[in-house]
């Protein structure tokens, strides 16, 4: 991207009741983008001059609720991610991806799982923070493996049992983003997975430490008649660098 960013959000405010937002990486269009949604809603609130806004956004063929609130240290945004599909048996096809991530089976803390809020990604639990931070994937190989399996990318995370705060790294070279320093949709996917497997429903995940661009994303998941849904939040600092 000429702008030097991994993702770009284009906002159409013509439908004032629910602005349309489209997302792109260097390789093409994405149906949705969690951190892009947080950023877009923060910009819209900032430009409106209001202190709070409860609205809706149209992206990827769906319209969903958003909330943006001006705080002392930035703009806090929450949005409804929608239903998250969870698939088991990812371990049967994950061997090549584990190797492409630069990991060994002993580095994996639990079963792999596929989660999709529209685009599937592999959730990869690693045994500890040191393993997570020292990962050096083979991005060409990882892109090939993900494309073969239809994955957006791999969300590697470290979260102690029964803990609500952890760390993660998102690798998505298949869509032109070797490492995404904040991936809100994957945090929502992780919350859905944890609710499904352990009953935990709220988490805080830190990313970007390896790029000196730390971020925190919050997510909570809920059972509904349609499936597990998640609500995602984050804080945006729009002050000049």
């Amino acid at each position: 991207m000429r702008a030097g960013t991994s993702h770009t959000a284009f906002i159409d405010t013509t439908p004032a009741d629910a602005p349309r937002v489209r997302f792109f990486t260097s390789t093409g269009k994405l149906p949705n983008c969690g951190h892009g949604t947080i950023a877009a809603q923060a910009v819209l609130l900032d430009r409106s001059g209001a202190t709070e806004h409860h609205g809706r956004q149209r992206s990827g063929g769906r319209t969903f609720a958003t909330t943006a609130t001006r705080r002392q240290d930035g703009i806090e945004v929450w949005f409804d991610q929608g239903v998250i599909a969870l698939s088991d048996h990812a371990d049967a096809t994950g061997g090549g991806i584990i190797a492409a991530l630069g990991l060994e089976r002993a580095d994996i803390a639990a079963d792999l799982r596929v989660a999709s809020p529209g685009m599937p990604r592999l959730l990869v639990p690693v045994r500890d923070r040191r393993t997570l931070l020292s990962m050096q994937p083979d991005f060409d190989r990882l892109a090939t493996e993900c494309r073969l399996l239809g994955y957006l990318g791999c969300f590697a995370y470290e979260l102690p049992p029964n803990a609500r705060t952890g760390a993660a790294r998102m690798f998505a070279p298949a869509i032109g983003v070797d490492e995404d320093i904040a991936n809100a949709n994957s945090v929502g996917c992780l919350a859905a997975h944890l609710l499904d497997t352990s009953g935990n429903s709220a988490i805080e995940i830190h990313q970007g430490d390896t790029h000196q661009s730390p971020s925190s994303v919050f997510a909570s998941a809920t059972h509904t008649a349609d499936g597990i849904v998640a609500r995602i939040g984050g804080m945006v600092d729009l002050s000049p660098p």
Side-chain angles (χ1 to χ4, degrees):
M1 291 281 185
R2 292 182 179 179
T5 60
S6 61
H7 299 67
T8 302
F10 292 87
I11 307 171
D12 176 9
T13 58
T14 304
D17 62 326
R20 182 186 182 198
V21 184
R22 303 175 70 198
F23 306 102
F24 294 83
T25 69
S26 60
T27 62
K29 180 183 175 182
L30 298 176
N32 53 56
C33 177
H35 59 289
T37 291
I38 291 173
Q41 291 299 320
V43 167
L44 288 172
L45 180 69
D46 187 60
R47 291 181 176 177
S48 74
T51 57
E52 188 172 33
H53 178 70
H54 298 271
R56 297 183 300 162
Q57 176 178 308
R58 295 170 56 207
S59 293
R62 60 182 290 263
T63 300
F64 50 90
T66 63
T67 299
T69 306
R70 196 181 299 273
R71 306 292 188 192
Q72 186 173 359
D73 53 349
I75 295 176
E76 180 181 345
V77 176
W78 287 84
F79 71 93
D80 294 331
Q81 187 180 22
V83 176
I84 300 163
L86 298 168
S87 302
D88 294 317
H89 312 301
D91 285 290
T93 57
I97 283 185
I98 290 173
L101 288 170
L103 300 174
E104 299 180 355
R105 275 288 172 182
D107 296 319
I108 306 302
D111 290 342
L112 308 180
R113 204 169 197 198
V114 179
S116 176
M119 295 185 71
R121 77 274 333 269
L122 190 66
L123 304 180
V124 182
V126 299
R127 61 185 179 185
D128 52 38
R129 185 73 59 94
R130 181 178 179 181
T131 301
L132 179 72
L133 296 180
S134 64
M135 291 174 63
Q136 296 183 340
D138 179 335
F139 291 118
D140 288 339
R141 181 177 179 184
L142 183 59
T144 298
E145 293 286 345
C146 286
R147 289 183 183 123
L148 285 173
L149 297 168
Y151 298 157
L152 167 78
C154 298
F155 190 67
Y157 66 93
E158 178 269 335
L159 186 67
N162 302 316
R164 292 182 178 271
T165 302
R169 297 175 68 184
M170 178 64 178
F171 305 105
I175 61 167
V177 183
D178 285 349
E179 181 166 2
D180 198 349
I181 61 174
N183 194 278
N185 274 336
S186 291
V187 178
C189 288
L190 178 57
H193 162 68
L194 294 173
L195 177 63
D196 186 52
T197 56
S198 67
N200 292 339
S201 60
I203 53 173
E204 175 183 351
I205 297 296
H206 302 284
Q207 288 184 252
D209 290 342
T210 56
H211 291 263
Q212 297 182 338
S213 300
S215 66
S216 296
V217 178
F218 303 85
S220 61
T222 307
H223 286 289
T224 73
D226 296 322
I228 296 178
V229 301
R231 189 166 183 262
I232 299 172
M235 186 75 73
V236 179
D237 181 3
L238 295 177
S239 60

